[in-house]
């Protein structure tokens, strides 16, 4: 008889979630224990069956009124030991001092199968780290975070996940009056670069070491086997962050607020705010309307991540001992990881069976073409995926139409395509295999701003169907889903001039 295990594999009930709360077992300097402030008369806006399963919850549980109460922050689950964590950080390149979970409550950690998950509510009221703000999140930004977390997971990119969005009619003041919502986020850990900067800045080295030991022992035990476990952890973060940056660049994702308090120590995409996916290509695109200097443009992301890693290295210095070791942990790992992953990603996007030395120049030529002619980044690569290398010259223009039609200057597209075909001939690959590989690397569907906005407008009228449809579509972004063809469209007229800012 092994009933408990088999029922947990199928997915259990809410009341069967068993918390172990490893973060709450750390000394109290790291956080403030407190209960979430729930929402009045909460209602379910959206939930992810995949994430429910991930943490061992039967997806049917989301329909229970108790689910709404629990994930609005109204009803504590047995074993939950809720808290808000402290951290600091550099914002827009400037030291910002203490920040912390100003509107996030960690409900606790739990184990499912071999995995450890922490569950956090975002928007469940004030904490000691709210710094005068209201501790709330609005429906708009909560839907954006929910959909993008799951879209990134669907794309295969490391990210925090989102279980649910619970809404309420509670008014919240931003530029206008909006309504409140709470997102339940799920990740192995929400520890940030800024969590370490906090203790280093206060010269609390024992506390700093305690946090690093927690991360190593819980998530990266292999670092213990090395001569300098802290240098090994830093190198691990550098490698993962490097790969993550390549992942972002390859799908045209722009985070928008890459402050060190929004950088995950596990290399996850963390804190979705004014993010965007590249549409008409512009490497200098600023997706965050509050980023007046353009610090977080698409093209700057890899450089900013490295700058952030140097801030983390500064914080790790007292643990590592030698500045040269701390610097090497970044320099020997970040750049090489980014470059290798970027090369791999670009080779896959272009359908190159192997990456030849001269391909670096071809990748540069491709970005040059995109920058000059500004086709939609996602649709360009998806259309390319479906072309054939071998074409009858007389039929070529017709065959290539799905790609050519994205250009005003079709001759420029033709010239580049001729080079792409010549390059394909150097490392031949049968068409079907190449097309399948390219479709697995070039998503058909991404969370375009206008799609999120359309779903938000419906949700404000309490119609959540569009959020559910987007979730369904974006969880399988590489598959052809003809009924979602409309989601590949360029922004409609009403969406021109849509702006997203830090306001959330
Ligand atoms: P963000 O720009 O969302 O990463 O937030 C930066 C800091 O501001 C974090 O410490 C957040 O917890 C805090 N914060 C942002 N919005 C609010 C809010 N409405 N209430 C309380 N704290 C907030
Ligand atoms: Mg943040």
């Amino acid at each position: 008889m092994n009933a408990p295990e088999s029922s947990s594999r199928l997915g259990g009930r809410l009341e069967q979630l068993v918390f172990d709360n490893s973060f709450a077992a750390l000394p109290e300097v790291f956080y403030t224990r407190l209960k979430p402030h729930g929402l009045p008369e909460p209602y379910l806006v959206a939930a992810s069956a995949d994430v429910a399963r991930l943490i061992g919850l039967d997806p049917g549980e989301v329909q229970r009124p108790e689910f709404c109460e629990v994930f609005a922050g109204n009803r504590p689950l047995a074993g939950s030991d809720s808290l808000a964590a402290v951290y600091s950080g550099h914002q827009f390149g400037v030291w910002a001092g203490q920040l912390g979970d100003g509107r996030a409550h960690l409900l606790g950690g739990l184990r499912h199968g071999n995995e450890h998950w922490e569950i956090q509510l975002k928007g469940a009221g004030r904490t000691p780290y709210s710094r005068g703000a209201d501790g709330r999140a609005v429906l708009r930004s909560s839907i954006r975070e929910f959909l993008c977390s799951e879209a990134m997971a669907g794309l295969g990119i490391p990210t925090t996940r989102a279980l649910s969005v619970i809404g309420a009619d509670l008014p919240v003041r931003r530029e206008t009056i909006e309504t409140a919502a709470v997102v339940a986020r799920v990740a192995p850990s929400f520890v940030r670069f800024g969590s370490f900067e906090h203790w280093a800045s206060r010269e609390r080295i024992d506390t700093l070491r305690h946090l690093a030991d927690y991360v190593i022992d819980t998530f990266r035990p292999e670092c213990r086997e090395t001569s300098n476990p802290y240098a090994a952890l830093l190198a691990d973060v550098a490698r993962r962050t490097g790969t993550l940056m390549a992942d972002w660049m390859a799908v045209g994702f722009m985070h928008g607020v890459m402050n060190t308090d929004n950088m995950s120590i596990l290399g996850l995409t963390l804190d979705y705010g004014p993010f965007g996916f590249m549409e008409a290509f512009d490497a200098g695109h600023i997706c965050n309307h509050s980023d007046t200097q353009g610090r977080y443009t698409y093209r700057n992301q890899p450089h900013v991540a490295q700058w952030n890693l140097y801030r983390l290295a500064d914080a790790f210095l007292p643990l590592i001992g030698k500045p040269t070791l701390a610097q090497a942990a970044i320099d020997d790992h970040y750049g090489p990881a980014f470059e290798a992953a970027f090369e791999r990603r670009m080779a896959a996007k272009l359908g190159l069976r192997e990456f030849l030395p001269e391909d670096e120049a071809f990748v540069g030529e491709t970005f040059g073409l995109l920058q000059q002619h500004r086709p939609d980044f996602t649709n360009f690569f998806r259309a390319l995926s479906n072309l054939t290398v071998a074409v009858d010259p007389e039929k070529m223009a017709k065959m290539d139409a799905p790609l050519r039609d994205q250009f005003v200057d079709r001759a420029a597209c033709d010239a580049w395509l001729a080079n792409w075909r010549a390059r394909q001939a150097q490392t031949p690959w049968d068409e079907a295999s190449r097309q399948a590989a390219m479709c697995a690397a070039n998503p058909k569907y991404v969370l375009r701003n206008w799609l999120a906005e359309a779903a938000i407008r419906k949700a404000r009228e309490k119609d959540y169907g569009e959020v559910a449809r987007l979730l369904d579509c974006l969880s399988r972004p590489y598959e052809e889903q003809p009924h979602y063809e409309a989601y590949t469209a360029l922004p409609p007229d009403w969406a021109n001039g849509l702006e997203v800012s830090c306001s959330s």
Side-chain angles (χ1 to χ4, degrees):
M1 251 319 263
N2 202 352
E5 198 195 312
S6 62
S7 71
S8 85
R9 224 180 295 126
L10 287 172
R13 295 188 43 100
L14 263 178
E15 294 76 8
Q16 290 172 304
L17 292 177
V18 180
F19 286 92
D20 60 14
N21 299 337
S22 64
F23 195 82
L26 289 172
E28 293 216 15
V29 287
F30 291 108
Y31 53 82
T32 303
R33 253 194 189 92
L34 81 173
K35 299 268 172 269
H37 307 274
L39 295 173
E41 297 176 54
Y43 39 81
L44 181 70
V45 171
S48 159
D50 287 348
V51 179
R53 278 188 216 99
L54 212 55
I55 61 168
L57 207 55
D58 180 337
E61 289 289 284
V62 309
Q63 299 306 334
R64 289 173 58 197
E66 291 85 351
F67 181 90
C68 220
E69 295 289 335
V70 166
F71 294 105
N74 293 357
R75 172 199 282 243
L77 281 173
S80 152
D81 185 5
S82 56
L83 58 86
V86 68
Y87 52 80
S88 292
H90 281 82
Q91 297 186 316
F92 293 93
V94 179
W95 176 244
Q98 180 178 309
L99 303 164
D101 289 335
R103 51 171 170 171
H105 292 71
L106 187 69
L107 295 186
L110 52 84
R111 194 155 278 286
H112 181 62
N114 291 325
E115 286 168 304
H116 170 87
W117 298 106
E118 312 229 298
I119 306 179
Q120 194 186 59
L121 300 185
K122 182 166 174 181
R126 284 202 181 93
T127 77
Y129 316 111
S130 300
R131 298 175 298 140
D134 60 8
R136 291 297 178 189
V138 295
L139 181 66
R140 159 179 57 89
S141 65
S142 302
I143 289 174
R144 284 172 53 86
E145 171 140 23
F146 173 83
L147 286 176
C148 201
S149 305
E150 294 312 291
M152 292 295 265
L155 288 165
I157 298 178
T159 177
T160 62
R161 304 293 300 263
L163 173 64
S164 58
V165 179
I166 309 292
D169 292 344
L170 181 73
V172 174
R173 180 178 291 277
R174 294 294 180 260
E175 280 86 355
T176 59
I177 304 283
E178 303 186 46
T179 59
V182 170
V183 187
R185 305 198 290 193
V186 171
S189 174
F190 293 94
V191 171
R192 300 136 193 274
F193 289 14
S195 312
F196 293 89
E197 291 177 275
H198 183 74
W199 300 112
S201 75
R202 291 166 184 230
E203 299 180 30
R204 297 273 298 270
I205 308 310
D206 288 343
T207 312
L208 177 70
R209 184 176 296 109
H210 201 129
L211 186 63
D213 285 338
Y214 165 75
V215 171
I216 291 172
D217 294 336
T218 316
F219 305 103
R220 307 286 178 242
E222 63 280 5
C223 293
R224 281 280 170 241
E225 315 302 317
T226 65
S227 58
N228 191 322
Y230 306 111
L233 175 59
L234 189 58
D236 175 274
V237 182
R239 276 193 302 272
R240 287 173 196 269
T241 305
T243 316
L244 184 69
M245 288 309 111
D247 289 346
W248 287 3
M249 301 305 274
V251 298
F253 175 77
M254 294 161 282
H255 182 284
V257 208
M258 290 176 65
N259 296 334
T260 58
D261 53 304
N262 292 339
M263 298 288 294
S264 154
I265 203 69
L266 301 184
L268 308 172
T269 312
L270 170 67
D271 274 9
Y272 292 91
F275 64 82
F277 279 90
M278 187 66 79
E279 295 189 272
F281 188 83
D282 174 14
H285 183 70
I286 304 172
C287 65
N288 175 359
H289 195 63
S290 314
D291 180 12
T292 47
Q293 306 287 311
R295 183 178 175 85
Y296 299 137
T297 56
Y298 173 80
R299 76 156 76 80
N300 282 357
Q301 294 188 129
H303 171 74
V304 168
Q306 185 177 36
W307 189 90
N308 290 344
L309 283 162
Y310 282 137
R311 302 291 73 74
L312 184 66
D314 291 341
F316 267 52
L317 192 52
L319 306 180
I320 292 176
K322 274 201 204 148
T324 48
L325 266 185
Q327 169 124 23
I330 309 298
D331 292 348
D332 296 351
H333 298 274
Y334 175 73
F338 171 74
E339 276 154 32
F342 188 69
E343 197 176 288
R344 225 170 26 244
R345 284 282 205 163
M346 287 314 299
K349 288 182 83 64
L350 291 165
L352 309 179
R353 223 177 162 178
E354 55 186 292
F355 201 85
L356 306 176
E358 57 272 30
D359 287 336
E360 202 176 312
F362 185 58
V363 169
E365 183 189 327
T366 304
F367 277 101
L369 177 87
L370 296 176
Q371 185 68 37
Q372 197 178 346
H373 300 278
R374 308 206 165 184
D376 181 88
F377 184 72
T378 302
N379 292 349
F380 172 86
F381 282 104
R382 188 71 181 193
L384 182 68
S385 308
N386 291 312
L387 299 188
T388 52
V389 172
V391 278
D392 176 343
E394 283 181 8
K395 295 190 185 138
M396 193 182 293
K398 189 152 179 265
M399 284 283 302
D400 291 349
L403 192 77
R404 297 179 87 232
D405 289 352
Q406 298 182 30
F407 288 75
V408 175
D409 182 351
R410 289 184 172 75
C413 177
D414 290 341
W416 179 85
L417 262 178
N419 291 345
W420 178 72
R421 288 197 165 100
R423 170 61 191 81
Q424 286 295 337
Q426 285 181 271
T427 50
W429 201 354
D430 73 276
E431 303 269 19
S433 307
R434 182 190 47 73
Q435 287 176 340
M438 286 179 75
C439 285
N442 292 311
K444 174 144 182 166
Y445 307 98
V446 293
L447 183 58
R448 297 169 183 275
N449 251 344
W450 75 267
L451 293 175
E453 182 63 24
I456 289 163
R457 290 184 184 184
K458 289 277 186 204
R460 285 183 172 143
E461 297 161 11
K462 300 216 157 80
D463 173 354
Y464 308 121
E466 196 56 21
V467 178
R469 280 188 290 278
L470 278 176
L471 174 67
D472 180 49
C473 172
L474 295 171
S475 59
R476 283 166 287 135
Y478 300 102
E479 287 175 27
E480 289 291 332
Q481 305 177 66
H483 49 299
Y484 290 133
E485 194 66 29
Y487 292 162
T488 65
L490 306 186
D493 285 346
W494 63 259
N496 282 331
L498 271 185
E499 284 171 358
V500 283
S501 70
C502 280
S503 155
S504 61

